[in-house]
Amino acid sequence: MSRKISWVIPVLFVLLVSSNAVFAQKKKPRIKYYSISANRTFHVRMNDSLNSGSARIGDTFSTTVIDPVYSTNGVELVPAGSTITGRVTAVQKARKDGNPGTLSVIFYHLNLPNGRAASMSGSLTDYTSGNSSSDNESTVSAKKTSHRNAKFIGGGAGGGALIGAIAGGGKGLAIGAGVGAGVGFIAKKLKKGDEAKVKEGTEFGVILNRAVSLPAYRPS
């Protein structure tokens, strides 16, 4: 009889622990996800530097999100300080005929400060009141989806760059530190065939090509 008890007790213990583990798993709350819709724009700051004279296709770079991004019902999903990784997709060096250098980029990965990460599809766009609108949660929506064809173009004043809307040869928007010296100066610079130089600290927009789903942000 004692032998039977000696092996029955451990078996009962294992069954009890297993049942408790299964019960605990069933009680684990389901994560609720919220959506950031396509055409929303992230306000970001460049963490690295890019130069059409030395950049290569496939080069990656990092940007930091400046303003938090919320769901449509006001839930914070992407806090300031999150990072978005980009990649160079095309490079055109400045040419002697006066054409400036250009850089085409995409944005493909989002990292939050709590360690959560998500894939994304984003394109370069400007971040101005004329092409975007903010709501009371500091989120921004781009009004011109054609800006997905934008690229960095050499010729920005003060070492900045021009964001050029490639579709239809649209006008570029000057960005970067020291920009604002006037259209005449920029036109003169373009004739020299400047390289596209995007310095660390340059601010611009990243517009979503498709929606991204994330849970409400919680610090780790």
Side-chain angles (χ1 to χ4, degrees):
M1 185 69 178
S2 60
R3 290 181 178 178
K4 290 183 178 180
I5 294 175
S6 64
W7 66 263
V8 168
I9 292 176
V11 171
L12 291 175
F13 177 77
V14 171
L15 291 174
L16 180 62
V17 172
S18 299
S19 63
N20 286 339
V22 171
F23 181 75
Q25 290 179 358
K26 291 182 178 179
K27 291 296 258 184
K28 189 176 181 180
R30 180 179 294 180
I31 299 176
K32 183 176 181 180
Y33 282 80
Y34 301 85
S35 180
I36 303 173
S37 61
N39 298 334
R40 289 280 287 279
T41 299
F42 294 78
H43 182 194
V44 303
R45 179 185 297 112
M46 191 73 166
N47 297 331
D48 305 298
S49 296
L50 291 176
N51 188 321
S52 59
S54 57
R56 296 184 179 183
I57 295 175
D59 285 353
T60 59
F61 58 93
S62 172
T63 66
T64 296
V65 176
I66 298 174
D67 301 320
V69 178
Y70 298 81
S71 66
T72 53
N73 53 348
V75 178
E76 184 180 25
L77 303 182
V78 180
S82 301
T83 58
I84 295 177
T85 304
R87 180 170 58 242
V88 176
T89 58
V91 181
Q92 175 64 65
K93 295 183 178 181
R95 289 168 289 183
K96 293 181 180 180
D97 57 6
N99 289 323
T102 64
L103 287 165
S104 296
V105 298
I106 61 168
F107 301 87
Y108 65 94
H109 196 72
L110 172 67
N111 280 287
L112 307 185
N114 63 4
R116 182 176 288 275
S119 297
M120 62 175 287
S121 173
S123 299
L124 175 68
T125 187
D126 57 342
Y127 191 90
T128 64
S129 58
N131 296 310
S132 59
S133 59
S134 298
D135 59 23
N136 57 3
E137 282 92 22
S138 299
T139 54
V140 175
S141 299
K143 294 179 179 178
K144 296 183 179 180
T145 56
S146 62
H147 282 200
R148 283 192 180 86
N149 294 319
K151 64 173 67 175
F152 291 114
I153 302 176
L162 294 175
I163 292 182
I166 302 309
K171 296 180 180 179
L173 174 75
I175 63 172
V179 171
V183 176
F185 177 74
I186 293 175
K188 183 178 179 181
K189 292 278 286 183
L190 287 174
K191 293 179 181 179
K192 297 180 179 179
D194 291 337
E195 298 292 354
K197 298 177 182 178
V198 188
K199 290 189 173 183
E200 178 182 355
T202 301
E203 297 181 13
F204 48 85
V206 174
I207 184 172
L208 284 179
N209 298 321
R210 59 173 180 265
V212 173
S213 294
L214 292 166
Y217 179 74
R218 297 287 184 271
S220 56

